[in-house]
């Protein structure tokens, strides 16, 4: 049986503030987030698209793309920069969702026996009831009835949207799942 190409998250949403407070996430999602740090910049540009990049990094990419091969060292290729071989043990972007079962502590970056709390700005910590209650106070939530729990599924389109949002805002989960 083929493994699913999506991962589920349980969001806690402040309906009055129209924002995601945090997500309950398993190993697969946290491994995906941590895997982002190991992606080569050109892979990020290919996923997000040059027009989706903020700043001038895409100009460097385009310069390499447009540079005539006559200016490239004979033992080098443009593809070594534009489409680098991924030489690390972490799984490719989408395979991070499927790397290991959530009950396994082998493979990936984090152990699967824990549920993780992922904040809107992608700060990750192990889930704790005390931390959850403290956060309600921090976010000035006076009426618990204004909170909504929502399960969302993240596949490749949402993963790319999350990657792009992570480079543009501190309200990443809100941007990806509520806007």
């Amino acid at each position: 049986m083929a493994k699913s190409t999506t991962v589920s998250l349980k969001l806690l949403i402040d309906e009055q503030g129209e924002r995601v407070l945090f997500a309950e996430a398993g190993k697969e999602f946290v491994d995906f987030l941590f895997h982002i740090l190991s992606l080569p910049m050109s892979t990020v540009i290919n996923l997000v698209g040059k027009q989706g990049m903020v700043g001038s990094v895409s100009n460097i990419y385009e310069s390499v793309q447009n540079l005539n091969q006559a200016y490239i060292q004979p033992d080098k290729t443009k593809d070594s920069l534009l489409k680098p071989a991924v030489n690390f043990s972490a799984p490719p972007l989408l395979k991070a969702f499927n790397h290991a079962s959530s009950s396994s502590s082998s493979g990936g970056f984090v152990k699967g026996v824990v549920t993780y709390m992922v904040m809107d700005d992608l700060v990750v910590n192990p889930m704790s009831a005390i931390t959850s209650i403290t956060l309600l106070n921090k976010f000035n939530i006076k009426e618990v009835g204004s909170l909504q729990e929502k399960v969302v599924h993240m596949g490749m389109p949402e993963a790319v949207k999350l990657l792009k949002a992570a480079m543009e805002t501190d309200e990443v989960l809100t941007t990806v799942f509520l806007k």
Side-chain angles (χ1 to χ4, degrees):
M1 174 193 273
K3 291 184 179 179
S4 172
T5 57
T6 64
V7 65
S8 296
L9 299 169
K10 190 183 297 181
L11 305 178
L12 185 63
I13 300 167
D14 173 11
E15 289 182 317
Q16 289 180 339
E18 298 178 346
R19 63 186 171 162
V20 173
L21 299 180
F22 63 85
E24 282 184 34
K27 172 186 178 30
E28 296 85 1
F29 183 73
V30 175
D31 279 346
F32 161 73
L33 285 181
F34 289 176
H35 176 69
I36 288 173
L37 296 175
S38 65
L39 291 175
M41 184 58 71
S42 56
T43 300
V44 172
I45 294 169
N46 280 323
L47 287 168
V48 173
K50 288 183 275 186
Q51 67 283 358
M53 292 296 297
V54 176
S56 301
V57 175
S58 64
N59 293 341
I60 299 169
Y61 183 94
E62 197 167 321
S63 295
V64 172
Q65 208 173 29
N66 295 334
L67 190 63
N68 189 303
Q69 188 64 38
Y71 297 102
I72 307 289
Q73 291 283 348
D75 62 332
K76 305 290 182 192
T77 66
K78 289 193 237 181
D79 280 351
S80 66
L81 294 173
L82 301 177
K83 299 173 186 166
V86 180
N87 294 324
F88 46 85
S89 62
L93 182 64
L94 188 57
K95 288 186 181 175
F97 297 142
N98 304 325
H99 188 64
S101 77
S102 60
S103 63
S104 171
S105 62
S106 63
F109 296 100
V110 297
K111 293 184 176 180
V113 294
V114 178
T115 298
Y116 296 90
M117 175 184 286
V118 180
M119 304 303 295
D120 198 12
D121 62 359
L122 302 183
V123 170
V124 177
N125 286 298
M127 191 77 178
S128 150
I130 293 171
T131 303
S132 299
I133 293 166
T134 304
L135 282 173
L136 294 179
N137 190 39
K138 176 186 171 188
F139 288 124
N140 202 24
I141 303 297
K142 303 290 185 206
E143 185 61 46
V144 182
S146 70
L147 299 176
Q148 174 192 4
E149 190 178 281
K150 179 180 179 182
V151 175
V152 294
H153 302 282
M154 186 166 144
M156 190 59 157
E158 294 83 9
V160 172
K161 193 173 175 184
L162 184 140
L163 180 60
K164 185 176 186 308
M167 294 185 288
E168 297 175 341
T169 182
D170 285 339
E171 298 176 341
V172 179
L173 297 177
T174 297
T175 300
V176 173
F177 295 109
L178 297 184
K179 295 184 177 176

